[in-house]
Amino acid sequence: MENYSIGLSGLNAVYAAMEVIGNNIANASTEGYHRQRIELRPADTTQTGRAAVGAGVDVVGVTRLINGLLEREITAQGSSYGQISQELSILSSVETSLGEFAESGGLNETLDAFFDALHGLAANPLEQTWRNQVVSSAEVLTAEFRRLGSSLASLEDQMVLEAQNVADSINLLTTQIAELNGKIRAVEINGGQANNLRDNRDQRIVELAQLTGIETQTREYGGVDVSIGGLPVVTGAIPLEVSVSLQSDGSLALHAAGSEGYGLAVQGGRLGGLLSLRNELLPSLEEDLDTLARGIVSQINAYHVQGVGIEGSFTELDGWTMGSNDLNEIEPPITDGTFYIRVTNTETGEITRHAVDVNLSGASPDTLDSIAAKVDAIDGLTASVGFSRLHIASDLGYEFDFTPALLPEPTASNLTAAAPPAIAISGIYNEDSNETLTFTVDGSGAVGNGALRLTVTAANGDVVTTLNIGSGYAAGDVIEMTNGVKIAVSTGDLNDGDRFEVEVFQTTDTTGFLAAVGMNTFLSGTTASDMEVCARLIEDPDRIATALGGDLSDNGAALRMSGVHDEAVDSLGGMTPNEYYQRTTANLGQEVALKQSRQEHIEAVIEDLKGQQSDISGVNINDEAAQLIIFEKMFQAIAKYFTSLQTMITALMEVV
């Protein structure tokens, strides 16, 4: 009967092999399936007399053809690909939204149009058409900033929703992995093989890695533990849910569900890309855009507050509604220093300039209320704070402004002659810093005679220039210095050593207070998303500041504002607005190019790895067909073997 056992073992092997081959063929196109191979070995021999005779074939098991190291590398690369693809997709859309590579449009173009309009206004400061053009181009510019700012903010909100959806998908996959771990253990702890279940589970792990970076650890009886950022989300057959939420610092984080105090350090997968975009890449781009908006607002306003439009000085001004009475909490920041208010008595023509000191670093720092009180103490002005807004109004018969226009008379003088001349000052100072110029008389005598001169020195004692007011000078003629200061000396006598002082101003606000609280500003906003043209200028374009001088005949304010286009702005890192924006877009373009290059590299690596995987684990239909023929022949041979045995036994029985 041993012969029958041998034949039966062969049939058992054939049936098992056919099942394996059939399973391979059925799963030839199944994602994540690994080719299986039946393992056969000779059965133990039996002793027949002196001969050891084979006892047939044993089916040892079914082997899943898999290279663990290769599979782990494919999973890791898939995780990297998931992150880089997510980042590239969003950054490419941001790059498109900037519009810098379109035929027309984009922030660069609107910046140029705005400054071109300011150049036109500087050339034609009295023409209404150019004032309207400046307002129109400014509205287009601020609308473009708001569009870009809102677009980035919307993308950040979208990242939150996307990350939460990915977290739901992660929880679904970890639940499935845990369930499959349990099924695999139930089969293999009893000595069975769960190759198909293992493939199913491993495919879920691959899909999980595409969503987030993971670490895996093999357990006994085929189980695999999975961790995300050090948090075990699958332990044997037990899953742990995760969730995504905004932290107290505004960052987006993944954490164990119900435990929001600790954010996991997630790298890789779509979730890693979403967290990187939401917490780093988009905020950095948004901050660059906000910095540019603040820089333009701050610089334009710093010049605008010091000028006046064709309607002249003010009788009333209101600032912005401030979020706090504490000046240290105001953006843009205010520093210690002084701002100056020029007050004109419209009945007498008397013009005075008043200094308002701002102290924020002392034991009793100034507040909005205390500054209002200082302004209120100036003759001819009334100031108050209502609803967190600074309000300044002039008394009847007075006007005020913040222009750096020189006062018509010297700030201080010491003229000792019996009949001294009248000194008339005018012009607009054009140097880089505020200064007190001292004019000292060299020689004695009547103006327009002899070698009478004025030596002009700066506060540090350096000689600025020497002016001839002796022979060759006609009393009353205006002498214009290279720094923009104009002086006229009437008839009269001067003594050697006589002197007078003139305060000259490059800026009438060294603190940034006026622009920060919204007094006579052009633009408002502290971010790109809330940048706007001040309503009072939209309603009355004649209030656009063009002049710095008291007679409104100059274009100094318009020139200063138009010059911002080519000005190195400190808050922009010493770059012009266009240069800063071009650097921002160039950095974004470089980031997109680098990520695209990396994505292509990872694609090539994955393709190569999958080629190797296919060689080891892939199902080749031709190979399986060849195996079918082999086992078909084996079945036919065993059937023949049984037929021969039957014939022999029948013959033997006939003999007996």
Side-chain angles (χ1 to χ4, degrees):
M1 297 299 295
E2 194 67 39
N3 291 326
Y4 281 101
S5 296
I6 292 173
L8 290 172
S9 71
L11 287 177
N12 183 53
V14 169
Y15 285 133
M18 295 293 281
E19 288 179 352
V20 172
I21 294 170
N23 189 46
N24 284 341
I25 294 173
N27 288 283
S29 60
T30 301
E31 185 74 19
Y33 179 78
H34 296 81
R35 180 164 56 94
Q36 298 177 21
R37 181 180 64 196
I38 190 168
E39 300 293 341
L40 304 175
R41 72 180 178 191
D44 293 340
T45 59
T46 60
Q47 197 71 25
T48 304
R50 294 184 178 182
V53 179
V57 63
D58 287 338
V59 177
V60 178
V62 179
T63 300
R64 191 169 62 129
L65 299 178
I66 184 171
N67 183 318
L69 181 61
L70 181 62
E71 298 292 328
R72 285 192 294 273
E73 185 62 22
I74 290 175
T75 301
Q77 292 296 334
S79 185
S80 297
Y81 184 81
Q83 175 165 349
I84 204 72
S85 296
Q86 182 69 67
E87 292 174 348
L88 180 59
S89 173
I90 298 301
L91 291 180
S92 296
S93 69
V94 172
E95 187 178 41
T96 300
S97 73
L98 293 180
E100 294 308 314
F101 303 103
E103 292 184 1
S104 62
L107 191 56
N108 249 332
E109 186 172 312
T110 55
L111 274 171
D112 289 339
F114 171 63
F115 285 112
D116 285 346
L118 284 173
H119 278 295
L121 179 61
N124 306 277
L126 301 180
E127 291 192 15
Q128 189 68 38
T129 300
W130 282 105
R131 292 179 175 275
N132 293 335
Q133 180 64 27
V134 168
V135 170
S136 176
S137 62
E139 288 185 296
V140 172
L141 175 65
T142 55
E144 181 68 7
F145 267 107
R146 291 196 303 274
R147 181 188 71 81
L148 293 175
S150 298
S151 175
L152 289 175
S154 177
L155 272 177
E156 290 183 358
D157 292 340
Q158 182 183 334
M159 296 303 98
V160 176
L161 295 176
E162 287 287 333
Q164 290 171 343
N165 290 335
V166 170
D168 291 340
S169 299
I170 289 172
N171 289 331
L172 177 61
L173 286 171
T174 54
T175 299
Q176 293 173 344
I177 291 168
E179 289 176 355
L180 289 166
N181 271 344
K183 292 178 180 180
I184 292 168
R185 177 180 173 83
V187 171
E188 299 195 356
I189 199 171
N190 293 317
Q193 290 181 303
N195 290 333
N196 281 14
L197 289 174
R198 281 179 177 243
D199 279 343
N200 200 352
R201 189 268 320 279
D202 290 352
Q203 179 60 23
R204 298 295 184 276
I205 291 176
V206 169
E207 292 171 3
L208 181 62
Q210 292 169 356
L211 297 180
T212 180
I214 61 172
E215 306 87 39
T216 59
Q217 179 67 46
T218 303
R219 291 170 61 92
E220 191 178 13
Y221 300 115
V224 174
D225 291 347
V226 182
S227 298
I228 300 175
L231 178 71
V233 293
V234 177
T235 305
I238 303 173
L240 175 67
E241 284 195 358
V242 296
S243 61
V244 170
S245 65
L246 291 171
Q247 304 294 87
S248 58
D249 61 357
S251 64
L252 188 64
L254 179 75
H255 48 78
S259 175
E260 301 181 5
Y262 177 73
L264 303 175
V266 178
Q267 290 290 330
R270 283 188 59 206
L271 182 61
L274 290 168
L275 296 182
S276 174
L277 285 163
R278 177 59 178 76
N279 297 335
E280 299 172 20
L281 299 176
L282 291 182
S284 176
L285 185 59
E286 188 175 29
E287 178 56 32
D288 283 346
L289 194 63
D290 288 344
T291 298
L292 176 60
R294 282 193 297 268
I296 293 172
V297 170
S298 176
Q299 206 69 7
I300 291 293
N301 284 347
Y303 293 143
H304 193 273
V305 295
Q306 299 179 65
V308 291
I310 58 177
E311 292 186 358
S313 300
F314 312 106
T315 58
E316 187 175 26
L317 273 180
D318 285 305
W320 296 323
T321 300
M322 312 305 298
S324 172
N325 192 48
D326 186 350
L327 297 182
N328 284 305
E329 297 180 359
I330 292 176
E331 288 291 337
I334 299 170
T335 61
D336 289 351
T338 305
F339 69 87
Y340 298 85
I341 302 179
R342 200 178 72 117
V343 179
T344 302
N345 186 321
T346 57
E347 294 180 358
T348 64
E350 181 186 10
I351 302 175
T352 56
R353 176 173 279 117
H354 305 270
V356 179
D357 294 326
V358 178
N359 178 13
L360 301 181
S361 57
S364 299
D366 279 317
T367 63
L368 194 61
D369 286 326
S370 68
I371 297 298
K374 292 180 181 181
V375 175
D376 190 63
I378 298 173
D379 288 341
L381 297 182
T382 300
S384 61
V385 176
F387 301 103
S388 297
R389 301 175 66 180
L390 177 63
H391 174 78
I392 302 176
S394 62
D395 297 340
L396 185 63
Y398 288 88
E399 291 179 340
F400 68 95
D401 57 50
F402 312 103
T403 66
L406 300 179
L407 296 183
E409 297 179 353
T411 309
S413 62
N414 182 24
L415 305 180
T416 60
I423 310 295
I425 308 295
S426 60
I428 301 172
Y429 183 63
N430 58 24
E431 296 294 335
D432 294 334
S433 59
N434 295 348
E435 184 64 84
T436 298
L437 301 177
T438 300
F439 294 73
T440 304
V441 178
D442 293 329
S444 298
V447 173
N449 295 294
L452 203 61
R453 296 181 181 277
L454 290 175
T455 300
V456 185
T457 57
N460 62 5
D462 290 344
V463 175
V464 175
T465 188
T466 300
L467 306 176
N468 174 39
I469 57 171
S471 179
Y473 174 74
D477 281 356
V478 175
I479 303 173
E480 183 172 358
M481 300 166 55
T482 57
N483 59 13
V485 177
K486 299 177 182 179
I487 181 172
V489 184
S490 69
T491 56
D493 298 327
L494 291 170
N495 292 329
D496 187 50
D498 283 357
R499 58 196 299 164
F500 57 90
E501 294 179 352
V502 176
E503 287 186 343
V504 292
F505 294 88
Q506 186 274 334
T507 176
T508 55
D509 185 3
T510 63
T511 69
F513 172 84
L514 295 173
V517 300
M519 304 304 291
N520 190 33
T521 49
F522 189 109
L523 301 169
S524 66
T526 57
T527 67
S529 297
D530 62 6
M531 185 178 180
E532 292 184 335
V533 182
C534 291
R536 59 189 295 272
L537 300 185
I538 297 175
E539 296 168 359
D540 185 5
D542 287 346
R543 279 297 184 186
I544 296 175
T546 51
L548 296 175
D551 58 3
L552 310 181
S553 63
D554 66 282
N555 61 353
L559 280 175
R560 286 187 176 185
M561 288 190 292
S562 65
V564 174
H565 181 269
D566 302 310
E567 184 176 335
V569 182
D570 290 341
S571 62
L572 301 182
M575 290 177 276
T576 68
N578 285 80
E579 288 172 345
Y580 187 87
Y581 182 63
Q582 288 165 5
R583 189 203 66 171
T584 299
T585 55
N587 288 344
L588 175 60
Q590 184 179 31
E591 189 75 22
V592 169
L594 288 173
K595 291 189 182 300
Q596 192 164 16
S597 175
R598 189 180 172 203
Q599 182 190 50
E600 292 170 355
H601 171 71
I602 294 175
E603 282 178 343
V605 170
I606 290 176
E607 184 177 352
D608 180 66
L609 291 172
K610 286 194 172 181
Q612 298 178 48
Q613 182 192 50
S614 179
D615 291 340
I616 297 171
S617 305
V619 176
N620 186 308
I621 297 297
N622 292 329
D623 290 345
E624 298 303 315
Q627 289 292 311
L628 276 176
I629 294 173
I630 292 172
F631 285 103
E632 181 184 2
K633 295 294 185 183
M634 181 177 171
F635 178 83
Q636 292 172 351
I638 292 173
K640 183 67 174 176
Y641 173 72
F642 274 117
T643 301
S644 298
L645 282 179
Q646 184 64 36
T647 301
M648 290 173 57
I649 291 173
T650 300
L652 180 61
M653 293 302 293
E654 289 177 355
V655 171
V656 174

